[in-house]
């Protein structure tokens, strides 16, 4: 399996910030129930790796990745926790090497043509555009398609349900990333049906 196969599992990859470990499994179940299987758990909280372990154990239909990977140690920790893939805001030799050595599928962040060339040079055919909206959004992806028609993107950062269809219409976009599927207020309220409803709407997003 390659990371592009994961990106093609659905139109939206939720970016999850889990503060309370007790939220991890019900959140993952709510998203999967709405048809969103690929989950990115960011390493921005103390319980992130425990959340990954808990979701992997309890929600077998979820395809769990770790986000906000910035070091080789993050790669090792993510693999050990059971992540299938890792997402990084950027692209460094240290993270690329660690991912290859530990056999963790990596979705690195790119923002410039040079970043895309670096990703391609190490054999990757998919990467993030991050932060997508401020990096030029749809116009940037159209421009990148000229020289890099063989590269596929998961634009992430500043994308909402209204804007997602114009990204998904592009030939070089497999899916978009976004945090709108797991708003903090719904997590704190334990409103899992509302999250399932957001997931269902996201899973139905099509190119427009
Ligand atoms: C992030 O950095 O949290 C992700 O890029 C998601 O960004 P968003 O909140 O703009 O969807």
């Amino acid at each position: 399996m390659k990371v592009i196969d994961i990106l093609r599992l659905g139109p939206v990859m939720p970016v999850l910030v889990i503060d309370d470990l007790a939220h991890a499994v019900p959140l993952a179940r709510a998203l999967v129930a709405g048809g969103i299987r690929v989950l990115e758990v960011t390493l921005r909280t103390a319980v992130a790796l425990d959340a990954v372990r808990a979701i992997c154990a309890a929600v077998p239909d979820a395809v769990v990745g770790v986000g906000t990977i910035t070091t080789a140690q993050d790669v090792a920790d993510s693999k050990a926790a059971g992540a299938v893939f890792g997402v990084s805001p950027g692209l460094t030799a240290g993270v690329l090497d660690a991912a290859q050595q530990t056999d963790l599928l990596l979705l690195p962040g790119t923002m410039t043509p040079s970043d895309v060339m670096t990703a391609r040079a190490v054999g990757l055919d998919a990467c993030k555009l991050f932060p997508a909206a401020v990096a030029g959004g749809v116009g940037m992806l159209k421009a990148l398609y000229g020289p890099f028609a063989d590269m596929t993107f998961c634009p992430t950062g500043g994308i909402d349900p209204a804007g997602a269809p114009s990204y998904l219409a592009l030939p070089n976009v497999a899916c978009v990333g976004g945090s709108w599927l797991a708003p903090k207020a719904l997590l704190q309220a334990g409103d899992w049906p509302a999250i399932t409803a957001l997931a269902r709407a996201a899973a139905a997003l099509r190119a427009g």
Side-chain angles (χ1 to χ4, degrees):
M1 183 183 262
K2 297 177 71 176
V3 80
I4 195 165
D5 301 316
I6 294 173
L7 300 185
R8 288 187 174 135
L9 289 175
V12 181
M13 185 190 298
V15 177
L16 308 177
V17 179
I18 301 175
D19 290 301
D20 183 342
L21 184 56
H23 293 162
V25 168
L27 170 62
R29 286 196 176 124
L31 291 166
V32 170
I36 296 289
R37 294 180 53 211
V38 178
L39 314 179
E40 177 191 334
V41 179
T42 61
L43 280 180
R44 297 180 200 176
T45 68
V47 301
L49 290 167
D50 286 334
V52 168
R53 277 185 275 272
I55 295 168
C56 289
V59 193
D61 287 342
V63 179
V64 185
V66 168
T68 324
I69 286 179
T70 60
T71 66
Q73 187 63 49
D74 291 341
V75 172
D77 292 345
S78 303
K79 182 78 180 179
V84 177
F85 68 102
V87 184
S88 178
L91 175 150
T92 64
V95 167
L96 287 172
D97 287 351
Q100 278 177 343
Q101 276 164 27
T102 59
D103 211 16
L104 182 75
L105 296 175
L106 184 70
L107 183 69
T110 62
M111 195 180 169
T112 66
S114 296
D115 294 339
V116 177
M117 288 164 67
T118 302
R120 195 163 65 170
V122 296
L124 296 173
D125 57 7
C127 44
K128 280 206 307 188
L129 176 69
F130 178 82
V134 296
V138 166
M140 179 63 165
L141 287 156
K142 283 182 179 168
L144 291 172
Y145 188 62
F148 306 117
D150 55 338
M151 294 296 287
T152 299
F153 292 86
C154 170
T156 304
I159 302 176
D160 61 15
S166 54
Y167 284 94
L168 294 168
L170 300 174
N172 53 346
V173 169
C175 67
V176 301
S179 64
W180 79 84
L181 289 174
K184 204 171 188 143
L186 292 184
L187 264 68
Q188 281 170 350
D191 193 345
W192 313 120
I195 287 179
T196 295
L198 288 173
R200 199 167 281 132
L205 279 175
R206 293 279 175 267

